Amino acid sequence: MKILVLNSGSSSIKFKLYKDDKAIAVGLVERIGEASSKVELKNIDTDEKFSKEQSIKNHEEGLSLVNELFKQSGLLEDLNTLDGCGHRAVQGGAKIMKHCLVTQEVIDEMDKATVIAPLHNPANLAGIRTMIKKAPNVPNVAVFDTAFHATVPDYAYMYALPYEYYEKENIRRYGYHGTSHSYVSRKAAEFLGIGYDNFNVITAHLGNGASISAIKNGKCIDTSMGLTPLEGLMMGTRCGDLDPAIVPYIQKVRGLSPNEVDTLMNKKSGFLGICGYNDLRDVDSQRKKGDDKARLAVQMYAYRLAKYIGSYFAILPKTDALVFTAGVGENASFIRKETCDFIKHLGFDIDDNLNNERSSKIREIGSKNAKLKILVVPTDEEFEIANTTKNLIYKK
Ligand code: AMP
C-alpha cells in the first residue's frame, strides 16, 4: 500500500511517501511562485537525492515535478498508482472536526474556514485540488489539526463573549497541532505500558508554533491554542496570551490597522519581539554571550509554559506523564529544565544527566523524586497522517 502525505504551505509542499507503514521517500517543493523554485526528493533507504530547479508557478506545477522525480527515482510509477493521499488540513471550521475522506462538502467547509486560517487553508486546499486533478481515482483524506481536540468540553472551548458570536461566527477554541498531540500521547502510553484509555498526560508541542494539551483517559480535555494558532504559549514570532484590551489600545496609540496588529502579534512578537531572534538556538547563543533580553525571553517562555502545565496538572484528576516534543521540546534541554524548575514542588523533578543526554529516541528524563513520568517523545506528524489516511481508506 502506497500513501503520499502532503503538507502544503502557501509557497511550499512538504511530502513523504509511505510503503506499508514505512517512509521510503521524503521531499520538498520550495519557493512556489518565485523565479528560482526547487523540488528535491530523497530516497530514504539509499540516501540518493533527485532535484530540479526551475520556476514553479503554482502547486499544480510543483506536484507535476514531484511526479517526475518519483518516476526518475523508481519509487512510484505515477501519482495515479497511489492507494491514497493524506493531506495535513488545518481548519475545517465547526462542522468538520474529524479526519475524513475528501468530498465536495469538505472542500466547501475548508473554503469557508479560510477566514479563521487565512495562511493555511488556501494552501491546504491547493494541494487537495491539485491531487484531485492529477490523480482523480486516488482517494484523498483530510487530516485535521483540530480533530484531536473535538473532545474538549464546551465549558473549556467557549469564550466568555456574547453567545451569538459562537452561534453566528463559530468563535470558539479549536486547538491545533492535533496530529502531534495524538501521536506523542499514544507513543508515551505505549512506552510506559499504560492503556491509552486510562492514560492522563500533558503534552507540550514546542516548535516554531507551540501548544499544550491536557489529555484525560486518552481524550483531549483542553488545549492552549484557540480560535487561531495565536493563543496560548509564547512562540518564535507569536505573542501567545495577551490582555485582549492591548489590541485596541495598540491600534489607538500607534494608529495601526487590524491587519497590522495581526502581523505584529503573529510575525514580530514572541522570541523575536523580545530579543530580536526567533530561532531558539540563536536566542540561546545570545543568552550565553550575556544578552539580557535573550535571558528574559527564555525565562518568559519557560515561566509561561510552566503556568500552563500547572493549570493542566490541576484539572487532571491524576497526571501520569508530561511529554515534551517538537524542535524545542525535543532538543532544548535548558527549556525543559527551566520550565520544570518553576513547578518542581508539584513533582516535576528533572534528572540533569538524563535531560542533557542527546538522543532521537523516546526517553524518560524525570528524577527518582519526580511524582510523574517526564518524557521526551519525538513527534512524527507525517506518520500519523499516513496512518489515519490508511485507516480511513480501509474503512471505506
Ligand atoms: P519545529 O517547528 O518543530 O521544526 O521546531 C523548530 C524550532 O525548534 C526552531 O526554530 C528552534 O527554535 C528549535 N530548535 C531546533 N533544534 C534546536 C536545538 N538544538 N536547540 C534549541 N532549539 C532548537
Side-chain angles (χ1 to χ4, degrees):
M1 189 172 221
K2 280 188 177 165
I3 303 278
L4 179 65
V5 171
L6 294 185
N7 184 350
S8 308
S10 51
S11 61
S12 67
I13 309 172
K14 285 189 202 154
F15 60 93
K16 213 164 188 178
L17 179 66
Y18 286 81
K19 185 179 177 203
D20 304 330
D21 289 344
K22 187 176 170 297
I24 58 169
V26 62
L28 177 68
V29 186
E30 48 185 339
R31 298 194 294 273
I32 296 174
E34 292 178 32
S36 60
S37 329
K38 187 176 174 189
V39 193
E40 195 169 72
L41 179 151
K42 187 177 91 173
N43 179 326
I44 292 178
D45 278 336
T46 62
D47 257 356
E48 198 180 354
K49 286 193 180 131
F50 303 83
S51 66
K52 206 153 204 182
E53 282 184 53
Q54 67 178 71
S55 151
I56 300 174
K57 279 210 262 352
N58 49 36
H59 287 68
E60 196 178 332
E61 282 190 13
L63 273 186
S64 295
L65 289 173
V66 171
N67 203 15
E68 273 182 35
L69 294 190
F70 271 139
K71 279 183 199 164
Q72 214 181 317
S73 71
L75 291 170
L76 186 75
E77 217 177 289
D78 188 89
L79 290 175
N80 274 296
T81 64
L82 286 165
D83 294 285
C85 181
H87 300 261
R88 181 192 177 201
V90 169
Q91 255 297 354
K95 269 208 186 142
I96 304 193
M97 282 186 78
K98 62 174 201 261
H99 308 313
C100 43
L101 281 160
V102 173
T103 59
Q104 192 54 46
E105 190 201 350
V106 173
I107 292 176
D108 292 344
E109 290 304 320
M110 283 181 74
D111 240 343
K112 280 190 218 155
T114 292
V115 282
I116 311 175
L119 296 179
H120 294 98
N121 267 28
N124 296 166
L125 279 168
I128 289 173
R129 289 189 170 117
T130 302
M131 273 306 292
I132 292 173
K133 197 164 166 191
K134 293 208 130 338
N137 296 320
V138 173
N140 289 286
V141 169
V143 177
F144 285 100
D145 260 29
T146 53
F148 184 65
H149 308 300
T151 48
V152 171
D154 55 2
Y155 54 80
Y157 71 63
M158 284 299 292
Y159 292 108
L161 290 166
Y163 195 79
E164 61 167 15
Y165 283 78
Y166 167 64
E167 288 178 308
K168 297 206 177 114
E169 272 85 22
N170 294 317
I171 293 178
R172 52 159 288 178
R173 174 181 311 287
Y174 290 97
Y176 295 86
H177 296 139
T179 46
S180 178
H181 290 288
S182 166
Y183 177 83
V184 298
S185 58
R186 280 178 195 284
K187 280 279 159 199
E190 229 173 83
F191 180 76
L192 296 172
I194 303 176
Y196 194 62
D197 292 346
N198 299 314
F199 191 43
N200 296 324
V201 58
I202 299 168
T203 48
H205 175 104
L206 312 174
N208 278 323
S211 69
I212 178 162
S213 292
I215 297 161
K216 179 179 163 190
N217 295 328
K219 294 202 163 61
C220 183
I221 59 162
D222 207 350
T223 191
S224 60
M225 282 181 166
L227 172 75
T228 74
L230 181 60
E231 193 182 348
L233 303 171
M234 179 171 151
M235 307 175 215
T237 62
R238 289 175 242 173
C239 59
D241 293 337
L242 282 181
D243 173 352
I246 291 174
V247 175
Y249 182 75
I250 292 180
Q251 287 182 317
K252 219 184 297 164
V253 295
R254 290 279 180 124
L256 299 187
S257 68
N259 276 345
E260 285 167 332
V261 182
D262 195 60
T263 303
L264 175 81
M265 294 187 297
N266 274 294
K267 304 240 167 89
K268 299 181 182 170
S269 298
F271 281 133
L272 182 67
I274 297 294
C275 71
Y277 295 87
N278 68 292
D279 190 304
L280 183 58
R281 287 164 287 205
D282 299 327
V283 178
D284 190 36
S285 65
Q286 289 305 111
R287 184 176 73 132
K288 285 178 177 146
K289 286 183 204 155
D291 181 336
D292 196 51
K293 284 186 181 154
R295 185 271 314 155
L296 172 65
V298 167
Q299 277 194 315
M300 284 174 66
Y301 185 93
Y303 175 70
R304 293 161 64 113
L305 174 58
K307 283 209 295 186
Y308 261 101
I309 296 171
S311 70
Y312 288 174
F313 181 73
I315 56 162
L316 285 169
K318 171 182 173 286
T319 307
D320 297 310
L322 166 66
V323 168
F324 288 99
T325 192
V328 172
E330 290 168 36
N331 297 298
S333 57
F334 63 96
I335 288 289
R336 300 192 294 255
K337 170 76 177 157
E338 295 206 15
T339 302
C340 287
D341 275 355
F342 279 117
I343 44 175
K344 198 169 172 175
H345 56 284
L346 294 176
F348 292 86
D349 197 358
I350 280 202
D351 178 307
D352 288 333
N353 289 331
L354 293 177
N355 186 39
N356 291 330
E357 257 172 41
R358 293 198 64 83
S359 159
S360 56
K361 295 220 170 84
I362 184 166
R363 59 201 183 276
E364 214 179 314
I365 56 166
S367 81
K368 288 197 189 79
N369 303 324
K371 293 208 181 80
L372 72 170
K373 302 290 182 187
I374 307 175
L375 304 177
V376 177
V377 182
T379 195
D380 193 343
E381 288 166 277
E382 291 86 5
F383 177 84
E384 183 79 4
I385 294 172
N387 201 34
T388 306
T389 301
K390 188 184 73 181
N391 290 341
L392 273 172
I393 291 169
Y394 242 151
K395 253 197 349 210
K396 187 182 124 190

